[in-house]
Amino acid sequence: MTSTSSSAIRPRVIVMTDFPPVDVIPGSVYQKGEPPERYSDPDDVQSMVRLLMCSNDLEVEALIASAGSFANIAVKQHILDMLDIYEQVQPNLARHDARYPTANALRAVTYQGQDGTWGSPYFRGGIPVDQMLGEGLENEASEAIIRIVDKDDDRPVWVCVWGGPVEVAKAIWKVRATRSADDLTRFLAKLRIYLIARQDNTADWLLEEFPELFVIVSEENYKGMFWNAPGSDHALGDLDWANQHLREGHGPLGAAYPRSGFNAHLPGIWEGDTPSFLHLLGTVFGVNDPERPDQDGWGGRFVQPDPNKNHWWDDPAGAETVYRWRSAVQEDLKRRADWMVS
């Protein structure tokens, strides 16, 4: 399988990640007294390794550090540390595709989000929306989102939300508060948001306030990335597969891929956030149209319960809509992993 070389169709992407340190301690084995900022879910690190390996086929316009899901802090440096590792393999990747961005190019678009925002009725409660949105509560990440959407570029901007969507909500709040209704309409029309669950309280705010906003909400489908998802081919995602095809003998970026997600006793590929950009990567390979979430695609399939709202929710088939593509998705990863050392 070969990706297209046409830069014209590369999706514009913003990634918002509750990114822990590279040496993250999985939540299931964290012990009191260890650095709390290391206590989190390593699956974001797993997803970031894959994202960087796929960055030739995506136009990454921002990497945003949002509040981490357990320490509940946002640390841009954690992403920058990962980019230091990527820098060591980028020359090899670029020999296979010159479109791989340099680490410096990605550092230049890495932004700091707000601490303490993680949590919602679905995840440990969280804080009220009025503590996150309002005059004077913008930050460098939300301001960057506004600049990106405002660019003279007709392509939509895909926001892949791995944690909470607070920074994109801040951007939308400010545009609504400071611009005309027509300007807001144009701004919203360029946004495409793919939520991995609803991890802070601005998720429901976005869904309630903006029926016209294109939002995909994955609350079950994303679990099809879990190596042990019931019905999936476990051998294509367990620790043995990850060791053989990525973690061992594939350079420092492969070695940085954590052996597990939150549960260290079930090692393997978890990558719950990856479907947010697989939805776009499948498009690069001609699998699906990202504007049609009801189509089968690498990032899952979705339904639109209310035709008056541009909001898309999990297809009843759930995780199967993601893991059915596992063979193709993993073959793509193997190919890219080999590029890092050849």
Side-chain angles (χ1 to χ4, degrees), residues 44-94:
D44 277 64
V45 181
Q46 290 188 342
S47 289
M48 183 63 75
V49 170
R50 192 186 297 252
L51 175 79
L52 293 171
M53 292 167 63
C54 296
S55 59
N56 59 320
D57 284 317
L58 304 169
E59 190 167 337
V60 180
E61 300 210 25
L63 298 172
I64 293 172
S66 57
S69 52
F70 298 103
N72 210 353
I73 56 174
V75 184
K76 179 169 71 173
Q77 186 60 48
H78 294 164
I79 299 177
L80 296 175
D81 291 342
M82 178 59 78
L83 296 179
D84 290 344
I85 300 172
Y86 168 74
E87 188 169 40
Q88 299 175 58
V89 301
Q90 190 273 343
N92 279 352
L93 290 168

Side-chain angles (χ1 to χ4, degrees), residues 175-189 210 212:
V175 169
R176 184 169 72 171
T178 61
R179 300 184 183 180
S180 71
D182 287 345
D183 287 340
L184 174 64
T185 296
R186 284 188 290 270
F187 190 87
L188 295 177
F210 304 101
E212 72 276 33

Side-chain angles (χ1 to χ4, degrees), residues 247-306:
R247 298 184 71 247
E248 298 173 358
H250 289 87
L253 187 61
Y257 189 92
R259 69 186 298 275
S260 77
F262 180 88
N263 190 337
H265 305 295
L266 290 172
I269 291 172
W270 288 88
E271 289 192 50
D273 301 304
T274 296
S276 66
F277 63 90
L278 288 184
H279 179 70
L280 304 173
L281 197 63
T283 299
V284 170
F285 291 123
V287 175
N288 64 298
D289 177 353
E291 302 285 343
R292 291 287 309 278
D294 56 337
Q295 292 182 343
D296 288 320
W298 284 11
R301 187 175 65 240
F302 301 87
V303 297
Q304 185 183 19
D306 185 345

Side-chain angles (χ1 to χ4, degrees), residues 5-318:
S5 61
S6 172
S7 61
I9 72 164
R10 292 171 71 200
R12 302 174 68 197
V13 177
I14 293 171
V15 174
M16 300 175 57
T17 170
D18 49 328
F19 198 75
V22 176
D23 60 351
V24 56
I25 300 172
S28 66
V29 294
Y30 176 81
Q31 298 181 28
K32 188 175 181 179
E34 294 177 305
E37 66 273 11
R38 290 181 59 200
Y39 165 45
S40 197
D41 189 338
D43 81 321
D44 277 64
V45 181
Q46 290 188 342
S47 289
M48 183 63 75
V49 170
R50 192 186 297 252
L51 175 79
L52 293 171
M53 292 167 63
C54 296
S55 59
N56 59 320
D57 284 317
L58 304 169
E59 190 167 337
V60 180
E61 300 210 25
L63 298 172
I64 293 172
S66 57
S69 52
F70 298 103
N72 210 353
I73 56 174
V75 184
K76 179 169 71 173
Q77 186 60 48
H78 294 164
I79 299 177
L80 296 175
D81 291 342
M82 178 59 78
L83 296 179
D84 290 344
I85 300 172
Y86 168 74
E87 188 169 40
Q88 299 175 58
V89 301
Q90 190 273 343
N92 279 352
L93 290 168
R95 278 197 281 271
H96 292 271
D97 190 333
R99 297 176 303 160
Y100 272 102
T102 65
N104 276 340
L106 294 175
R107 291 182 184 113
V109 296
T110 300
Y111 302 103
Q112 178 70 43
Q114 180 181 339
D115 288 336
T117 59
W118 190 86
S120 69
Y122 324 99
F123 297 94
R124 304 185 182 183
I127 62 175
V129 168
D130 62 9
Q131 294 182 28
M132 295 182 278
L133 308 180
E135 186 175 358
L137 294 179
E138 64 271 10
N139 57 29
E140 71 171 28
S142 63
E143 293 291 283
I145 292 171
I146 293 173
R147 291 195 304 271
I148 291 165
V149 177
D150 281 347
K151 286 181 182 178
D152 185 16
D153 189 325
D154 291 335
R155 290 174 298 162
V157 177
W158 288 87
V159 185
C160 300
V161 183
W162 299 3
V166 60
E167 270 68 50
V168 70
K170 286 177 184 290
I172 292 171
W173 186 96
K174 183 172 182 178
V175 169
R176 184 169 72 171
T178 61
R179 300 184 183 180
S180 71
D182 287 345
D183 287 340
L184 174 64
T185 296
R186 284 188 290 270
F187 190 87
L188 295 177
K190 290 186 71 173
L191 282 169
R192 309 287 185 272
I193 299 175
Y194 190 123
L195 296 176
I196 301 297
R198 288 174 282 173
Q199 296 188 52
D200 73 37
N201 286 318
T202 65
D204 281 346
W205 179 82
L206 288 168
L207 293 166
E208 291 164 5
E209 293 287 321
F210 304 101
E212 72 276 33
L213 179 63
F214 185 110
V215 184
I216 294 172
V217 186
S218 180
E219 296 188 298
E220 293 295 330
N221 288 6
Y222 73 88
K223 297 176 184 178
M225 284 301 297
F226 298 171
W227 73 269
N228 62 350
S232 68
D233 186 344
H234 296 181
L236 287 175
D238 61 14
L239 183 61
D240 287 342
W241 191 98
N243 285 341
Q244 178 181 352
H245 299 294
L246 180 60
R247 298 184 71 247
E248 298 173 358
H250 289 87
L253 187 61
Y257 189 92
R259 69 186 298 275
S260 77
F262 180 88
N263 190 337
H265 305 295
L266 290 172
I269 291 172
W270 288 88
E271 289 192 50
D273 301 304
T274 296
S276 66
F277 63 90
L278 288 184
H279 179 70
L280 304 173
L281 197 63
T283 299
V284 170
F285 291 123
V287 175
N288 64 298
D289 177 353
E291 302 285 343
R292 291 287 309 278
D294 56 337
Q295 292 182 343
D296 288 320
W298 284 11
R301 187 175 65 240
F302 301 87
V303 297
Q304 185 183 19
D306 185 345
N308 296 312
K309 296 180 179 180
N310 202 9
H311 302 161
W312 300 83
W313 301 79
D314 290 324
D315 183 274

